[in-house]
Amino acid sequence: MVDRDLLLSLCPALRTALIRCRYDLDTVRELLGPEAHAALGRSEPVPARRIARGAGDLGVLVRLFLLQDTCPEDEVAQALAPVTTEQAVQAGLVERDGDGVRAALDLRPLDAGTGSRWVLSDLDGSIRPVPTRPDHVLGVGQASLSLLQATPTDRVGSVLDLGTGCGVQAIRAADHADEVTATDINPRCLTLAAASAALNEIDIDLLEGSWFEPVAGRTFDRIVANPPFVVSAGRVEHSYRDSGLDLDGASRLMISQAAEHLNPGGTAAMLASWVHVEGEDWRARVASWLPSHGVDAWIVQRDVADPALYVGTWLRDGDADQREPEVAVRAEQWLDHFEEHGVEGVGFGFVYLRRTDLPSDVMAEDLRHAFTDALGDEAVDYFRRLDWLRTHEVLDARFAVRPDTALERVHLPGEDGWDQVVVRVHRGGGPAWQHEVDDLAAALLGGMRADGLPLGDLVSLLAAAHGEDEDDLLTQSVGLVHGLVRHGLIEPV
């Protein structure tokens, strides 16, 4: 059992121990080496254990917290000093196991881009079997890391982390915000988030409550949220994932209400999921959750799971095995609920919002291919490009193709040699957008340069050279250029 007061009181001394032992991500990676570190990421602890056994105090902390081994009490006492073993046990950080001591909480180093941080959460069972508590505090998993990388990091005054969990988003936000407020409905989350903040000497205002209730009437420069967005029949088994709202009601609530809590020009970056319903465009479904005035939205779908895969994944997440009769009944009920509502799949992705005083602009699109650059900076640029499009007539503007934009022509064997089947332009950086174009569009892009002609003049020349109707080509060019500017393949000059 975690004792909030005791855990918080020992954080300064625990921080001293972590620094002394160099329990940070870079040093741990250096100690383990790439092969053992990769194996640990696959929940294979043996290679890391062999290395950590002879690695002094740092090795003890790796074995204790990352490998979740039972370690001799005298070794743990030396590694945690000036925290005593008894203090750590009473606070709920570690627990006795026979003659030794083992971790009761997950304590791991993290580098989110601004140096070493530490995050406390519940053990996830990936290394040592542990039951998942109803009030389980999720650690830094793939979803958390995705949101970290997808959140803008430009300097802002205030940030709200809604549904903070272990506090990882709030801790990251403190690097680029003057004030950070974090909320959660789960008191255990707030306890571990407070301890994580104390370990990192970060000030976070932590508030208990559901959704936006703890910050009613308040607005912020940025909102980040990794809410309990699991799509189900509204059954709550684990607070970190289950909202109690039917189907995609949790994401609808977040997306529809977030802009009300943003300052003018403020932005939100959120993870969300939505159902794909038979006969309905998912983009229209999500767009319908937004008001017609006062918010710009960029909605990026990263993946779609079929119902069977989705249900199986989340049952396993809660330690449930469909081979057990009672779990099989739950799976049947879950799939029946999907079938009753025409659910053909569940989409997942990022939602970026910006509060404005203009008619809403909503772009919802698929981004399901791989890319390497962080999406957060791209979101800032996306809204900047949208501002430009709102305030300029593209036919009067000059454009240049980005240096990393490539033209690709695909040919397949035909009766008389190679037949061209598709022409694409690729953006080399950012989300690596691709646009299919025709030969006329490729020629138009080839004429764009910083010292060249305005778009309207380029189109006129192109129409005359190819015998095309100029008015039709102008209309097509405006739509093409808007799409390419939004995605950053061409830039106004």
Side-chain angles (χ1 to χ4, degrees), residues 342-402:
V343 175
E344 298 180 322
V346 180
F348 166 85
F350 302 105
V351 175
Y352 295 98
L353 306 178
R354 180 179 62 167
R355 184 170 179 178
T356 74
D357 59 358
L358 300 168
S360 297
D361 183 287
V362 179
M363 170 69 83
E365 55 189 341
D366 275 296
L367 179 57
R368 296 166 67 179
H369 57 262
F371 61 94
T372 56
D373 291 356
L375 204 58
D377 292 340
E378 181 69 18
V380 174
D381 289 342
Y382 174 85
F383 288 129
R384 176 183 56 78
R385 295 191 291 260
L386 176 58
D387 286 340
W388 188 92
L389 288 170
R390 273 187 167 133
T391 56
H392 291 79
E393 172 54 61
V394 296
L395 291 175
D396 297 333
R398 291 176 172 83
F399 297 91
V401 178
R402 278 176 57 117

Side-chain angles (χ1 to χ4, degrees), residues 399 401 442-449 452-453 458:
F399 297 91
V401 178
L444 179 64
L445 294 176
M448 291 181 177
R449 53 182 58 89
L453 296 172
L458 281 176

Side-chain angles (χ1 to χ4, degrees), residues 133-441:
R133 305 167 51 106
D135 60 351
H136 178 82
V137 180
L138 197 65
V140 184
Q142 192 55 51
S144 297
L145 291 172
S146 296
L147 184 57
L148 282 176
Q149 296 169 356
T151 299
T153 56
D154 52 319
R155 190 76 194 172
V156 293
S158 57
V159 170
L160 168 64
D161 175 18
L162 192 146
T164 191
C166 65
V168 61
Q169 308 298 333
I171 289 169
R172 179 67 177 93
D175 292 325
H176 57 266
D178 299 329
E179 299 176 356
V180 179
T181 300
T183 69
D184 209 289
I185 196 173
N186 182 356
R188 186 175 176 85
C189 284
L190 296 176
T191 292
L192 297 190
S196 295
L199 275 179
N200 294 287
E201 296 184 330
I202 290 172
D203 234 354
I204 298 172
D205 182 23
L206 292 159
L207 303 175
E208 182 179 344
S210 176
W211 301 108
F212 290 101
E213 292 172 7
V215 293
R218 294 177 59 185
T219 55
F220 302 86
D221 295 323
R222 175 158 298 139
I223 296 172
V224 295
N226 180 9
F229 53 70
V230 171
V231 174
S232 69
R235 176 175 176 172
V236 177
E237 296 179 356
H238 302 291
S239 61
Y240 71 88
R241 70 177 203 191
D242 301 318
S243 68
L245 300 175
D246 192 26
L247 296 178
D248 47 15
S251 294
R252 176 175 184 167
L253 186 153
M254 280 293 307
I255 293 170
S256 64
Q257 295 185 17
E260 301 171 16
H261 296 274
L262 288 172
N263 292 322
T267 58
M270 304 179 290
L271 291 176
S273 58
W274 38 80
V275 294
H276 286 229
V277 177
E278 184 179 359
E280 178 183 270
D281 190 324
W282 74 268
R283 294 166 295 188
R285 180 184 185 88
V286 180
S288 72
W289 300 342
L290 291 159
S292 60
H293 194 279
V295 58
D296 293 330
W298 185 38
I299 302 154
V300 181
Q301 180 168 261
R302 290 293 288 142
D303 198 10
V304 180
D306 66 76
L309 175 62
Y310 190 83
V311 169
T313 297
W314 285 109
L315 284 173
R316 286 191 299 273
D317 175 81
D319 303 327
D321 186 341
Q322 290 191 48
R323 292 171 295 183
E324 298 175 3
E326 64 274 18
V327 178
V329 170
R330 286 165 53 197
E332 287 264 13
Q333 293 172 340
W334 202 335
L335 289 170
D336 285 345
H337 190 67
F338 279 173
E339 186 174 346
E340 289 166 9
H341 289 83
V343 175
E344 298 180 322
V346 180
F348 166 85
F350 302 105
V351 175
Y352 295 98
L353 306 178
R354 180 179 62 167
R355 184 170 179 178
T356 74
D357 59 358
L358 300 168
S360 297
D361 183 287
V362 179
M363 170 69 83
E365 55 189 341
D366 275 296
L367 179 57
R368 296 166 67 179
H369 57 262
F371 61 94
T372 56
D373 291 356
L375 204 58
D377 292 340
E378 181 69 18
V380 174
D381 289 342
Y382 174 85
F383 288 129
R384 176 183 56 78
R385 295 191 291 260
L386 176 58
D387 286 340
W388 188 92
L389 288 170
R390 273 187 167 133
T391 56
H392 291 79
E393 172 54 61
V394 296
L395 291 175
D396 297 333
R398 291 176 172 83
F399 297 91
V401 178
R402 278 176 57 117
D404 61 354
T405 295
L407 177 68
E408 174 192 26
R409 296 183 184 272
V410 178
H411 295 76
L412 291 177
E415 292 183 0
D416 299 318
W418 293 102
D419 291 338
Q420 180 174 288
V421 293
V422 68
V423 183
R424 300 188 188 97
V425 283
H426 294 256
R427 179 174 157 189
W433 289 113
Q434 301 180 21
H435 281 243
E436 288 192 16
V437 296
D438 57 20
D439 286 328
L440 281 176

Side-chain angles (χ1 to χ4, degrees), residues 44-85:
E44 299 169 6
V46 173
R49 183 175 291 125
R50 289 165 59 85
I51 295 170
R53 281 193 187 117
D57 289 348
L58 175 59
V60 173
L61 293 185
V62 169
R63 290 173 57 205
L64 182 66
F65 291 116
L66 299 185
L67 305 177
Q68 299 171 27
D69 288 348
T70 297
C71 300
E73 183 169 344
D74 60 334
E75 294 182 10
V76 174
Q78 180 174 314
L80 290 180
V83 177
T84 68
T85 306

